[in-house]
């Protein structure tokens, strides 16, 4: 038995693969990743020589390649992380988001449907297509709104969230029409090791350590619900193991925080762990032009996954953020590596004009 993971060289996918294979009894992983700017084989370096991890450099939109992988490895599940994931990049260039998140998911679903159609008996009954999605599909909450439940209407506001919403609809339809055994999880903002420093928390850590400005969009009062990435991975494992077919499960950290509070927390931890003789890191906070169409607040109601599957996050924000800041301090080579090359072009293009 094997599982096929897509996007397993990215932030969440690589954490998922590492956590999965930390169990000596775990099924082997075939890891299909196109190695875009966000994919990084260094995340998986500790699996070098581990025969249970089979890395494949390829695109989910390549139907022949996906068909061949499914026929060869006969996975009992597909866990689909591969996506373009950064909202700001989707505003600069939405095309890649439509290509991978919508067309790529369509191709993967069609390949999965064809493969599943060849299975019989227990193998057919055990097969799962697990789609990893986001809370951004539900749109933006007002301060007094209850957190997003699975029953909230879809109201995506960015090209990224629209592309993820489209992919969720495809997954739902492939279950409803063809009976494909699907599961969907919609998750809040992750943070933790191997997070690419285009996203808020790692960007603030690496910029602070380099003495660079800490760019806060607008008034910094936008709210996100932060989830430690390893808790997200355990939530996915719980849904994969026991989720009801065709259902969606929201996964969140019960940690609503304003962006400015997040940045100040990162600064305070760095002041403690790596004090800067020039003064507190918060001196670097710089307000910049807001993100167009910026969603004001996300928050997840994670009671369904707790009620049905007994899942709750293990980390509080305080424990998770301390581990995260320490991880970045302990991995300067990883940080230097991901900041080389095209990363500089992105930072120049995106922040240069703000
Ligand atoms: P990421 O950008 O760090 O990684 C994406 C990975 O997918 C990379 O390894 C990339 O090389 C790969 N990839 C991209 N296009 C591909 C293609 N066409 N074929 C194969 N591989 C391809 O993303 P992430 O933050 O790890 O997010 C993973 C998934 O979780 C995404 O589907 C995202 O929408 C979802 N999600 C992320 C968050 C978050 O906070 N990061 C929260 C909720 C949901
Ligand atoms: O909610 C889940 C989503 O969380 C995922 O689906 C996305 O893949 C993931 O990227 C994330 O989206 P956000 O847009 O919330 O994350 P980001 O880290 O880009 O931004 C978090 C908040 O911080 C957001 O309100 C914008 C703000 N921000 C971000 C950056 C990069 C800043 O103020 N300054 C910045 O430089």
């Amino acid at each position: 038995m094997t599982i096929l993971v897509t996007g397993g060289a990215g932030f969440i996918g690589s954490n998922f693969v590492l956590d999965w294979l930390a169990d000596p009894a775990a099924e082997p992983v075939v890891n299909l990743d196109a190695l875009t700017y966000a994919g990084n084989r260094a995340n998986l370096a500790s699996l070098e020589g581990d025969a249970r991890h089979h890395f494949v450099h390829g695109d989910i939109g390549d139907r022949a390649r996906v068909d061949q992988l499914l026929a060869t490895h006969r996975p009992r599940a597909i866990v689909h992380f591969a996506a373009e994931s950064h909202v700001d990049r989707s505003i600069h260039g939405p095309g890649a988001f439509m290509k991978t998140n919508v067309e790529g998911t369509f191709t993967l679903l069609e390949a999965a449907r064809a493969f599943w159609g060849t299975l019989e008996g227990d193998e057919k009954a055990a097969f799962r297509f697990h789609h990893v999605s986001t809370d951004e599909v539900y749109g933006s909450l007002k301060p007094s709104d209850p957190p997003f439940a699975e029953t909230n209407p879809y109201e995506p506001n960015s090209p990224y969230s629209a592309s993820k919403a489209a992919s969720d609809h495809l997954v739902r339809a492939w279950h409803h029409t063809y009976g494909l055994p699907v599961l969907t999880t919609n998750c809040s903002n992750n943070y933790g090791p191997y997070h690419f420093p285009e996203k808020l928390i790692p960007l603030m850590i690496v910029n602070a350590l380099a003495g660079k400005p800490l760019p806060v969009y607008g008034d910094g009062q936008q709210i996100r619900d932060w989830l430690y990435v390893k808790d997200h991975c355990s939530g996915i494992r719980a849904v994969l193991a026991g989720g009801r077919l065709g259902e969606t499960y929201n996964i969140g950290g019960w940690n609503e925080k304003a962006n400015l509070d997040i940045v100040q927390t990162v600064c305070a931890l760095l002041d403690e762990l790596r004090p800067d003789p020039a003064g507190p890191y918060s001196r670097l906070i710089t307000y910049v032009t807001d993100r167009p169409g910026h969603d004001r607040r996300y928050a997840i109601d994670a009671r369904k996954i707790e009620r049905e599957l007994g899942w709750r996050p293990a980390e509080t924000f305080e424990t998770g953020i301390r581990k995260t800041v320490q991880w970045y301090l302990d991995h300067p080579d990883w940080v230097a590596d991901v900041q080389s090359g095209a990363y500089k072009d992105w930072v120049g293009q995106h922040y240069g004009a703000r």
Side-chain angles (χ1 to χ4, degrees), residues 313-334:
E315 301 288 345
T316 63
F317 186 70
E318 289 65 32
T319 57
I321 193 67
R322 182 173 284 275
K323 284 183 184 175
T324 303
V325 171
Q326 191 63 57
W327 188 88
Y328 280 85
L329 290 173
D330 293 343
H331 292 82
D333 292 346
W334 184 91

Side-chain angles (χ1 to χ4, degrees), residues 10-12 33-34 36 39 59-60 81 83 85 100 133 160 164 188 190:
F11 164 46
I12 304 173
D33 196 296
T36 67
D59 195 314
I60 56 166
F81 294 94
S85 69
T100 286
S133 192
Y160 163 70
K164 291 298 289 188
S188 61
N190 285 220

Side-chain angles (χ1 to χ4, degrees), residues 85 134-136 160 189 200 215 217 224 259 291 294 351:
S85 69
T134 172
D135 59 359
E136 301 199 11
Y160 163 70
N189 286 61
L200 180 72
Y217 297 166
R224 299 292 184 264
N259 291 341
R291 172 187 280 175
H294 199 171
Y351 293 99

Side-chain angles (χ1 to χ4, degrees), residues 6-14 32-40 58-61 80-86 96 99-101 104 131-136 160 164 185-191 194-196 198-199 226-227 232:
T6 73
F11 164 46
I12 304 173
S14 61
L32 173 64
D33 196 296
L35 295 179
T36 67
Y37 78 93
N40 187 353
D59 195 314
I60 56 166
H80 176 34
F81 294 94
E84 290 293 335
S85 69
H86 190 31
K99 188 98 193 133
T100 286
N101 301 2
H131 177 56
V132 179
S133 192
T134 172
D135 59 359
E136 301 199 11
Y160 163 70
K164 291 298 289 188
T185 46
N186 294 83
C187 181
S188 61
N189 286 61
N190 285 220
Y191 67 102
Y194 305 111
H195 205 181
F196 193 76
E198 64 185 356
K199 311 280 170 57
W226 293 93
L227 175 68
H232 184 194

Side-chain angles (χ1 to χ4, degrees), residues 270-327:
L270 287 172
D271 288 338
E272 176 195 328
L273 299 169
R274 182 69 58 83
D276 183 349
Y281 288 100
S282 56
R283 75 185 191 284
L284 299 169
I285 292 175
T286 308
Y287 292 91
V288 301
T289 310
D290 208 351
R291 172 187 280 175
H294 199 171
D295 285 338
R296 196 69 183 165
R297 174 178 167 236
Y298 304 143
I300 284 268
D301 177 344
R303 284 179 298 177
K304 178 177 173 183
I305 186 174
E306 179 170 5
R307 192 172 60 244
E308 292 193 12
L309 301 169
W311 178 90
R312 265 192 79 83
E315 301 288 345
T316 63
F317 186 70
E318 289 65 32
T319 57
I321 193 67
R322 182 173 284 275
K323 284 183 184 175
T324 303
V325 171
Q326 191 63 57
W327 188 88

